[in-house]
Amino acid sequence: MEFKATELRLGLPGTEEKENKIMNLSVKNNKRQLPQTSEESVSISKVSNDQQVESSSAAPPSKAKIVGWPPIRSYRKNSLQEAEVGGIFVKVSMDGAPYLRKIDLRIYGGYPELLKALETMFKLTIGEYSEREGYKGSEYAPTYEDKDGDWMLVGDVPWDTFYFICSMFATSCKRLRIMKGAEARGLGCGV
Amino acid sequence: MDHSFPQKVLEHLFSFIDSNKDRNAISLVSKSWYEIERRSRKKIFIGNCYAVSPTTVIKRFPELRSITLKGKPHFADFNLVPDGWGGYVYTWIEAMAVSVPLLEEIRLKRMVVTDESLELIAKSFKNFKVLVFISCDGFSTDGLEAIASNCRNLKELNLQESEVEDLSGDWLCYFPDSYTSLVSLNISCLNNEVNLSALEALLGRCPNLQTLCLNHAVPLDKLPSLLSQCPQLVELGTGVYSTEEMHPDVLSSLITAFSGCKQLKSLSGFWNVLPSYLPALYPICSRLTSLNLSYAIIQSSDIVKLIGQCPNLLRLWVLDYIEDVGLEAVAASCKDLQELRVFPSDPSCLELNNALTERGLVSVSKGCPKLQSVLYFCRQMSNAALSAIAQIRPNLTRFRLCILEPHTPDYLTLQPLDSGFGAIVEHCKDLQRLSLSGLLTDRVFEYIGTHAKKLEMLSVAFAGDSDLGLHYVLSGCENLRKLEIRDCPFGDEALLANAAKLETMRSLWMSSCSVSYGACKLLGQKMPKLNVEVIDESGPPDSRPDSCPVEKLYIYRSIAGPRLDMPGFVWTMGDDSSRKLELDVAGVEAQFRNL
């Protein structure tokens, strides 16, 4: 276990089953790089209020789509998809919070602005990134899912690269996840 | 009584009566009033193009100048009506081209228009002024070329939300240089670029232009020069509201351009917003009465900054990015708000989004005393919230709530939302339109039937337990005109028991319910003044037992008999032999009364 922890690797160092869970999620997510992505966004089975904490990271079964529901004109649905063209939209979730935010990366000039925005949005402190120690001192670690479906610590790659990765599939919505607690601490050991 | 007034006097009096309802009432007073009224009627509204034939309309109203026609059922908006169902306007245009050459206005909703129809309009009506196509389809920019070339007196061209085959942006060039009468242009639905220099020249030579709605292909850096051609605009739909990178000079020219538009009251468009350009709107915010941000992906904080400066807003359309906190700001700033629509940014996402909940709607209901019309998509609701809204806002006339996941109960009590909606219909005595969602039993329909006496349109999905639900509505809602139902366990009994009610309504739509083919046949036979149409894409219903439920059912009253343009998947029930009804004047009047 110790040996593994010091191993240089991409993605989350840590337990195997966590990796599998996330791989499941990302395998599903990888299928989302299609024009109609907004129709296939990550779906989570209905969460009752007391189960909030655990389930936001669970790999969800996607529900069968009902024709004509919700009642939104196709004109509007198509327009929403059109509107996303040109923007670089990323869905941000935080472990423990039962809601998502959608942000347009073009608004931010670099990591400091992005992190500040996340801190404001989710009312938490992430702190500063250091290559050696990640976001030490914070309970939270912002991660993103790269093109191979691996979860990376935000800040590991230069901003331009990160921006590019997120913009690569212009019509799909990439995912940013603010991990909390043990999982967060498990990151940032990529020496 | 009418002997004491000469015809000329009556004609003069009637010329002050504009509304269709009033005109219909006048026509029922006596035979001579009927005659005088019909000969002077200029505008007609036909809520269902299949309810009456073009010939009948033209014969009765020879002085027609303006016609409004609606075609497909409302659920066509949500892809529930298969392509090719109908709603073709051509036969109407054809008939009017011959007999009503002085026609000036055509307004269509959910109809199929072809380039041939457009060409026929362009060459048949010399004084043509207004063309409005809401949610129509079937035509291309080629047809628009014909309109642009020929309609010298055109004032309004509005293609709102229509599906247009966009072959070329040059159709705009077909407006001749001598053409200057444009008042309203809405091309927001077009996908491709229009010829911008032609557009700019057009705007420059039309001094009466009040409405301009651009499409998303018009780049933001072109907007200032376009606006400078028409600073008298009252209503503007922007194109895309962002650039690759923020340019300060684009921002400053936008500020100048907007400040120059002293009459601007209504804004829409805003596809793809870069928030740094929103401050360009601040100088005009205080004048705004209508703001449509429902295509704009911007954060709540940016929306709030904008709306905080719009105290005179009457109408606000937004995406759920506004969140509860944004709606609280609306409640605080927009005291004159009459209409609120909140659309879902991610409709297929089933994740709970606590940032927009029932709380936002309650805030606006509490803070905006003039709120009348609500369309709200959300993921959770409670009976308590609905009751609060009902009691504090009894002046609501339109209430459409869509809880995204079907069968969602009150999230606090896990009970059905019957009592919440019951409170709405009980307190909002002038409610005209209602859309239900969430977990609902027959109870809610009992409340509706008991209280919703002014209700004209009801939309129901995934609700109810039995035929009793449908029966309550059909037997209780005296003013019901349109009823549309999907995925509810309603069957034959309530429908057949309330057959007579259907003749007092414009239409009934039922899909994925439990109405049997046999009942449809019976209804069609019993009720000759109804067209009972079965839509079934899985093959002729005859090939299955009568007890099998039909896929979709559309019933509407008509004096034109069964329609002749049905596609292969639509069957009319009842006596199929030509049922052209020879109705006397009284019969026609009765039908027109509530059309």
Side-chain angles (χ1 to χ4, degrees), chain B residues 233-422:
Chain B
L233 271 188
V234 175
E235 183 181 343
L236 172 70
T238 70
V240 73
Y241 205 74
S242 68
T243 51
E244 279 273 327
E245 283 164 6
M246 195 325 208
H247 291 289
D249 42 309
V250 172
L251 177 60
S252 49
S253 31
L254 277 174
I255 293 174
T256 311
F258 277 120
S259 308
C261 295
K262 306 278 184 217
Q263 321 285 345
L264 208 46
K265 289 217 194 81
S266 166
L267 286 178
S268 60
F270 296 109
W271 287 285
N272 210 357
V273 175
L274 198 55
S276 4
Y277 288 127
L278 288 177
L281 303 172
Y282 295 167
I284 57 163
C285 279
S286 58
R287 269 182 256 121
L288 288 182
T289 55
S290 172
L291 185 56
N292 182 351
L293 293 170
S294 64
Y295 298 103
I297 300 175
I298 39 175
Q299 303 301 328
S300 179
S301 49
D302 291 314
I303 306 178
V304 167
K305 256 187 256 166
L306 191 60
I307 291 181
Q309 308 185 50
C310 304
N312 293 310
L313 225 47
L314 300 177
R315 194 164 87 139
L316 176 64
W317 292 22
V318 271
L319 285 169
D320 58 9
Y321 293 124
I322 194 172
E323 301 178 355
D324 288 342
V325 61
L327 288 173
E328 273 163 35
V330 170
S333 313
C334 308
K335 291 306 185 186
D336 287 337
L337 197 71
Q338 292 174 1
E339 178 180 328
L340 174 70
R341 294 195 191 190
V342 180
F343 295 94
S345 52
D346 209 343
S348 52
C349 177
L350 298 178
E351 280 153 330
L352 279 171
N353 181 347
N354 272 6
L356 180 99
T357 69
E358 80 286 1
R359 289 191 284 275
L361 185 55
V362 173
S363 305
V364 176
S365 304
K366 286 191 174 148
C368 303
K370 305 202 186 146
L371 191 69
Q372 284 176 357
S373 171
V374 170
L375 171 60
Y376 202 77
F377 286 82
C378 60
R379 287 175 173 85
Q380 70 182 41
M381 187 49 63
S382 67
N383 285 309
L386 285 171
S387 274
I389 292 166
Q391 289 177 62
I392 206 159
R393 236 18 345 113
N395 48 323
L396 286 173
T397 55
R398 284 168 176 72
F399 189 75
R400 291 190 279 166
L401 179 69
C402 180
I403 303 166
L404 288 170
E405 172 124 32
H407 305 125
T408 304
D410 176 327
Y411 77 101
L412 294 169
T413 64
L414 299 183
Q415 294 300 301
L417 289 168
D418 299 337
S419 59
F421 280 106

Side-chain angles (χ1 to χ4, degrees), chain A:
Chain A
M1 196 71 98
E2 250 68 312
F3 185 71
K4 269 199 163 189
T6 57
E7 214 180 275
L8 236 180
R9 34 192 302 197
L10 294 176
L12 261 195
T15 57
E16 287 298 312
E17 65 263 20
K18 271 227 172 60
E19 229 178 356
N20 283 337
K21 196 154 65 158
I22 283 150
M23 287 316 285
N24 280 341
L25 184 67
S26 52
V27 161
K28 267 205 167 53
N29 288 340
N30 275 341
K31 288 187 194 158
R32 283 193 293 139
Q33 281 112 33
L34 297 168
Q36 289 97 28
T37 316
S38 59
E39 305 273 322
E40 295 177 30
S41 50
V42 176
S43 48
I44 286 185
S45 50
K46 207 143 145 259
V47 169
S48 76
N49 281 348
D50 30 54
Q51 283 169 33
Q52 283 164 12
V53 179
E54 298 310 320
S55 52
S56 55
S57 56
S62 48
K63 276 215 167 168
K65 279 197 296 192
I66 305 170
V67 173
W69 189 266
I72 298 170
R73 288 188 181 177
S74 15
Y75 173 82
R76 181 168 288 282
K77 272 199 211 144
N78 296 340
S79 291
L80 275 179
Q81 282 163 15
E82 290 284 346
E84 293 204 354
V85 172
I88 298 161
F89 293 98
V90 178
K91 269 189 193 163
V92 187
S93 68
M94 178 171 83
D95 289 358
Y99 55 86
L100 296 186
R101 303 298 172 105
K102 205 173 192 175
I103 59 173
D104 183 350
L105 275 192
R106 297 172 312 155
I107 302 175
Y108 312 106
Y111 284 127
E113 281 120 316
L114 172 63
L115 294 172
K116 184 101 204 300
L118 294 179
E119 287 182 333
T120 313
M121 243 182 254
F122 291 92
K123 300 186 181 40
L124 44 77
T125 318
I126 298 177
E128 267 177 48
Y129 173 81
S130 84
E131 209 181 301
R132 187 186 294 269
E133 292 174 310
Y135 292 90
K136 180 185 167 155
S138 166
E139 238 198 305
Y140 299 94
T143 63
Y144 71 97
E145 193 205 352
D146 79 354
K147 64 176 178 56
D148 297 322
D150 299 317
W151 289 91
M152 307 275 285
L153 194 64
V154 168
D156 274 350
V157 298
W159 170 258
D160 289 339
T161 311
F162 173 69
Y163 193 87
F164 177 68
I165 290 172
C166 292
S167 71
M168 256 198 327
F169 302 99
T171 53
S172 78
C173 205
K174 305 304 292 178
R175 190 76 184 257
L176 225 140
R177 180 183 154 203
I178 301 175
M179 290 185 189
K180 193 177 167 184
E183 253 187 296
R185 283 190 284 278
L187 289 169
C189 301
V191 177

Side-chain angles (χ1 to χ4, degrees), chain B residues 116-163:
Chain B
E116 285 78 25
S117 303
L118 286 170
E119 281 150 24
L120 196 52
I121 292 171
K123 69 175 195 237
S124 312
F125 308 116
K126 293 301 163 215
N127 205 22
F128 199 70
K129 296 198 170 107
V130 172
L131 199 59
V132 177
F133 293 159
I134 302 176
S135 299
C136 295
D137 64 276
F139 61 104
S140 77
T141 42
D142 285 354
L144 296 179
E145 279 171 19
I147 298 289
S149 316
N150 295 294
C151 300
R152 297 297 151 97
N153 297 307
L154 192 71
K155 283 163 72 168
E156 181 172 350
L157 179 60
N158 182 346
L159 306 176
Q160 195 180 324
E161 297 183 9
S162 293
E163 242 180 74

Side-chain angles (χ1 to χ4, degrees), chain B residues 58 108 148-149 155 186 248 274 279 290 409 439 499 502 514 528:
Chain B
I58 294 169
L108 306 178
S149 316
K155 283 163 72 168
N186 183 337
L274 198 55
S290 172
L439 182 65
L502 299 176
S514 315

